[in-house]
Amino acid sequence: MKGYKNENIRNIALLGHGGAGKTTFLEAALLATKVISRLGRVEDGNTVSDYDKMEIEKGYSIGTSVVPVEYNKVKLNFVDTPGFFDFVGEVNSALRAVEAAAILVDASSGVQVGTEKAWNSCKQFSVPKFFLINKIDKENVDVDEVIAELQDKFGTSVVTLDDRDSLTEAIAETDEELMDKFFEGEEFTDEEFNRGLSKGIATGDIAPILVVSSITGEGIEDALQKFIDLTPKPTSVEAYDAKNDDDEDIQLTVDPAGPTAALVFKTIADPFLGKISLAKVISGTIKAGQEVYNSRSGKSEKLGSMFFMRGKTQEDAPEAVAGDIVALGKLQYTITGDTLCLKDNVIKLPGIAFPSPSLFKAVEPAKTGDDEKMGSGLKKLMEEDPSFVLQNNTETHQTLLGGQGDIQLGIITAKLKDKFGVDVVEVPQKIAYRETIKGTSDVQGKHKKQSGGAGQYGDVWIKFSPSQEEFEFGEEIFGGSVPRNYWPAVEKGLRECMEKGPLAGCKVVNVKAILYDGSYHDVDSNEMAFKIAASLAFKKGIAEAKPCLLEPVMKMEIYVPDEYMGDVMGDMNKRRGKILGMEPEAGGGQKLMAEAPQAELFDYAIVLRSMTQARGSFEMEFERYEEVPAQMAQKIIADYAASQEK
Ligand SMILES: Nc1nc2c(ncn2[C@@H]2O[C@H](COP(=O)(O)OP(=O)(O)OP(=O)(O)O)[C@@H](O)[C@H]2O)c(=O)[nH]1
Ligand SMILES: [Mg+2]
């Protein structure tokens, strides 16, 4: 795996629907190149790529792994990604390390949702693409039908390499001169044909189809050769955008002699080796033992252990040139998305875009006292999978796991148990309700304790009314009824009460309080007495000013293919949601703008996925607070009262 010049390196991500055969294709390629002597099977847990304990247990890929295949003096760094949609973060990071992607299609199923998502990801990140129709050994497979389906779905740019006419037409569209020649009915020379084909692939205008069986090995060697011939070389990328230390835009070319810049695109928490960072060398050459600089953390790192990985096997790497993918062991200050460069020539490549979480679960440690272990374990797992987020909600005091779906969060909690020995239980998510008032009140709060010893005396009259501000405090004291030096204590007393409202113990907002009268005692009055008097006035005042509960309302943008629009809108109405509008999306389908209470959305990611066969997606953010419907409010208040009695 070492010693390859970058013109003899190809970096290809394997994408596609779960179960299409990405991992098994690599088995077939390794068998064809005699790296292994027997084809491993995911069911038997003995494949090269799915070596992680959890992957073996589950029988599918969970994390990205690099599997170099050496064929005809070229090293093809295949980056195997998981097909399950929850692991889309892995796809995003893999696509930053490659010059092309091969989208695997199960010939017995044809185009699946995962095929469409893989195509869209390639478009999103402008990565050239191939289709690899796999499983042609299966019964009742009609390859031509699958090809037609692909062309129907993704357009005429999808062509088989033996279809000279369609290829010629597609090539003509890549270049004006060739277009003219085409319309004049002239044949392309082989040189023009190959140049046009490579150009069309590199620009994403042409997506060749290759056909294989990973079980019988049919077409595997031919596919490897085609990948060698047609995948853009690392040097084919004209330039990479980056920034220097002064945040000025710079461009990097894929030159082993250029300035050092490597992008860490994946972090693995290996049970034996510890932390492994997979890096794509974008510019320059990195050497084992060298000191590099992390331009995000501002820390230096020693490349103490550097190796090429093939699944779990490693081969020492004395150096890695621009265009190659290498593994770095035990980096201390580096996470996925970081750039490694030299201290005297700081470079920052753009980070990796991970989708924001759409599903949250609240968890607690099954064993009391495991909180810290849980927190540190989850933090480590976040490093390995940045599309998973850990949130500690300071208001509801809940630990929230955020991710793309059920499967991902299930894997996270399973790994937490397996790797860090912490068991967690899922608990119902709490809503951070608010309390406010719709009316006004005018009340007295009097605190008087004068039965021997140091007395306490504080007496205030306060008017409460709604406010646009979170909290407004004012005074209209006249005649010194409450001395000025006690006003801050009154305000402080009120502010403390605002943290925990009388209805359901939630934060109180949008209240104006005017201290306008009261009385004091020369000896027994003090700040504490007035603070208590204020809190007494608060409890009475809020209760008499038509208090109500507010709930968070989320603004949503839901991306839905047309055929599911009816269901999605119907479902939104059932969630006390409001449809605000819709507009067509460039890539087809519609963007639906809606609002709905957070309380109705905890399972939205899961329901939307099943309503739209995982073709729908959404983004949401907090919009504002709105009054909770009376009946629901009563229940929340009753539950709170009951919990206080316990
Ligand atoms: N008949 C047949 N079965 C295949 C072929 N390739 C893969 N399979 C089977 O398809 C199933 C899924 O294969 P994987 O290689 O795990 O698929 P994958 O695309 O890596 O799946 P994910 O990791 O979940 O994304 C396994 O049972 C394989 O044995 C093939 O060419 N022919
Ligand atoms: Mg797999």
Side-chain angles (χ1 to χ4, degrees):
M1 292 188 264
K2 56 182 163 226
Y4 284 88
K5 293 202 166 49
N6 59 23
E7 63 263 24
N8 295 326
I9 293 172
R10 306 287 184 277
N11 301 305
I12 303 164
L14 298 181
L15 309 185
H17 198 81
K22 302 173 284 294
T23 302
T24 310
F25 167 74
L26 288 171
E27 288 300 299
L30 293 171
L31 184 67
T33 53
K34 304 198 173 25
V35 172
I36 56 176
S37 54
R38 233 163 47 88
L39 199 73
R41 282 169 26 102
V42 284
E43 290 81 354
D44 303 337
N46 57 3
T47 63
V48 170
S49 183
D50 285 2
Y51 64 88
D52 175 78
K53 188 163 169 264
M54 201 65 69
E55 292 178 321
I56 293 171
E57 230 173 77
K58 301 280 179 189
Y60 53 72
S61 308
I62 294 170
T64 295
S65 62
V66 178
V67 177
V69 171
E70 297 163 273
Y71 189 67
N72 286 349
K73 300 195 172 45
V74 170
K75 177 166 80 167
L76 300 113
N77 285 325
F78 286 107
V79 182
D80 186 14
T81 69
F84 268 117
F85 311 141
D86 291 21
F87 306 120
V88 62
E90 299 292 307
V91 172
N92 291 14
S93 43
L95 290 177
R96 289 292 305 278
V98 298
E99 284 79 38
I103 304 173
L104 272 85
V105 181
D106 177 340
S108 63
S109 319
V111 175
Q112 295 172 285
V113 181
T115 320
E116 295 168 32
K117 284 181 182 273
W119 174 270
N120 294 337
S121 295
C122 291
K123 289 250 164 188
Q124 182 187 351
F125 298 105
S126 313
V127 173
K129 44 208 173 290
F130 294 81
F131 281 107
L132 190 57
I133 300 180
N134 184 33
K135 310 196 183 182
I136 57 167
D137 60 287
K138 288 189 100 170
E139 276 177 32
N140 310 324
V141 157
D142 181 340
V143 174
D144 293 334
E145 206 177 277
V146 180
I147 293 171
E149 209 188 333
L150 285 170
Q151 290 170 333
D152 193 41
K153 185 84 198 167
F154 303 110
T156 51
S157 68
V158 178
V159 275
T160 56
L161 293 167
D162 55 6
D163 180 352
R164 182 100 187 173
D165 291 352
S166 309
L167 265 178
T168 306
E169 205 175 321
I171 290 168
E173 282 167 27
T174 64
D175 181 284
E176 258 180 59
E177 252 178 72
L178 292 177
M179 182 73 93
D180 295 344
K181 206 170 176 183
F182 177 74
F183 279 119
E184 275 142 32
E186 276 185 63
E187 279 283 318
F188 295 156
T189 63
D190 283 352
E191 192 279 328
E192 283 169 337
F193 188 90
N194 294 332
R195 180 166 45 82
L197 180 57
S198 300
K199 185 177 167 199
I201 293 171
T203 56
D205 292 324
I206 296 178
I209 298 176
L210 307 171
V211 177
V212 298
S213 162
S214 302
I215 293 290
T216 64
E218 190 183 339
I220 296 291
E221 289 199 45
D222 182 52
L224 292 177
Q225 191 56 50
K226 291 283 179 333
F227 282 135
I228 291 172
D229 299 341
L230 300 172
T231 301
K233 295 177 181 153
T235 45
S236 71
V237 178
E238 262 161 47
Y240 283 87
D241 295 329
K243 295 212 183 271
N244 63 15
D245 208 11
D246 306 320
D247 264 349
E248 292 155 350
D249 292 335
I250 57 169
Q251 294 217 310
L252 301 169
T253 54
V254 183
D255 172 6
T260 302
L263 175 74
V264 173
F265 66 94
K266 173 73 188 164
T267 302
I268 300 168
D270 188 278
F272 309 104
L273 300 169
K275 184 167 140 180
I276 300 173
S277 308
L278 297 179
K280 168 77 184 284
V281 185
I282 300 293
S283 164
T285 299
I286 57 174
K287 295 193 164 41
Q290 155 184 30
E291 186 158 293
V292 291
Y293 182 76
N294 179 317
S295 55
R296 177 197 54 83
S297 64
K299 296 262 171 66
S300 292
E301 299 265 25
K302 191 157 182 342
L303 302 182
S305 89
M306 199 164 115
F307 44 91
F308 294 113
M309 273 185 104
R310 178 182 282 142
K312 66 177 176 205
T313 59
Q314 305 116 38
E315 182 186 307
D316 280 350
E319 67 169 31
V321 296
D324 208 349
I325 293 175
V326 72
L328 308 167
K330 301 199 175 69
L331 297 183
Q332 278 188 295
Y333 311 105
T334 296
I335 58 172
T336 304
D338 286 353
T339 304
L340 299 173
C341 55
L342 297 182
K343 201 166 185 176
D344 58 8
N345 188 354
V346 173
I347 294 173
K348 299 168 204 159
L349 290 156
I352 295 176
F354 288 99
S356 47
S358 56
L359 179 71
F360 286 88
K361 293 206 171 194
V363 295
E364 284 171 3
K367 219 172 77 201
T368 12
D370 260 5
D371 295 78
E372 259 176 58
K373 239 169 97 184
M374 176 181 80
S376 64
L378 288 171
K379 281 213 182 77
K380 289 233 173 69
L381 292 172
M382 239 167 86
E383 254 193 63
E384 207 181 359
D385 179 359
S387 73
F388 153 64
V389 293
L390 166 67
Q391 283 180 2
N392 288 315
N393 186 320
T394 49
E395 207 163 328
T396 61
H397 305 295
Q398 288 193 309
T399 298
L400 298 176
L401 309 185
Q404 308 307 311
D406 251 340
I407 295 173
Q408 181 193 24
L409 296 183
I411 297 283
I412 295 285
T413 51
K415 281 189 175 177
L416 186 63
K417 181 151 189 224
D418 188 58
K419 291 189 178 181
F420 304 96
V422 182
D423 216 349
V424 292
V425 286
E426 190 185 340
V427 291
Q429 266 187 69
K430 293 184 188 151
I431 297 278
Y433 290 107
R434 294 274 186 276
E435 299 183 27
T436 192
I437 53 176
K438 294 188 290 181
T440 62
S441 60
D442 179 347
V443 295
Q444 179 185 32
K446 191 168 188 170
H447 174 61
K448 188 177 172 190
K449 237 188 189 175
Q450 292 173 311
S451 49
Q456 289 216 328
Y457 184 93
D459 174 22
V460 293
W461 280 90
I462 299 177
K463 286 184 193 137
F464 291 94
S465 58
S467 161
Q468 291 303 317
E469 312 281 324
E470 183 131 336
F471 176 60
E472 265 185 276
F473 175 73
E475 53 74 29
E476 291 166 5
I477 293 290
F478 62 93
S481 55
V482 176
R484 176 178 294 278
N485 57 318
Y486 293 135
W487 299 352
V490 174
E491 181 176 357
K492 198 159 175 243
L494 293 173
R495 280 188 185 281
E496 278 176 17
C497 290
M498 295 281 284
E499 290 306 312
K500 205 169 185 220
L503 289 181
C506 311
K507 203 171 167 185
V508 180
V509 291
N510 307 124
V511 168
K512 184 175 177 177
I514 302 293
L515 169 68
Y516 72 95
D517 201 0
S519 65
Y520 67 98
H521 186 275
D522 283 338
V523 181
D524 293 345
S525 282
N526 52 45
E527 287 190 4
M528 181 50 81
F530 270 93
K531 229 178 102 183
I532 297 171
S535 68
L536 295 172
F538 181 89
K539 290 197 178 74
K540 226 186 303 169
I542 297 297
E544 291 177 17
K546 295 202 187 92
C548 68
L549 272 182
L550 303 176
E551 63 179 338
V553 170
M554 310 301 277
K555 187 171 83 175
M556 305 183 72
E557 292 187 345
I558 310 164
Y559 303 89
V560 193
D562 295 329
E563 63 265 39
Y564 307 107
M565 188 53 81
D567 291 350
V568 171
M569 289 171 79
D571 172 76
M572 189 44 70
N573 293 332
K574 276 190 235 135
R575 294 169 186 271
R576 299 191 289 128
K578 282 192 217 100
I579 311 285
L580 304 174
M582 72 175 83
E583 53 191 52
E585 276 284 282
Q590 306 272 338
K591 177 164 88 174
L592 190 67
M593 281 75 81
E595 284 179 351
Q598 187 191 29
E600 307 284 344
L601 295 170
F602 286 144
D603 64 343
Y604 195 69
I606 297 169
V607 174
L608 182 70
R609 184 175 282 188
S610 74
M611 270 192 297
T612 63
Q613 295 177 327
R615 290 189 173 89
S617 63
F618 72 103
E619 274 147 27
M620 74 178 168
E621 61 182 18
F622 169 76
E623 174 71 2
R624 65 173 181 282
Y625 274 92
E626 213 169 70
E627 190 174 344
V628 178
Q631 228 176 351
M632 283 180 72
Q634 271 159 22
K635 173 144 188 348
I636 297 163
I637 295 165
D639 289 353
Y640 175 72
S643 71
Q644 296 307 293
E645 270 149 33
K646 275 191 204 133

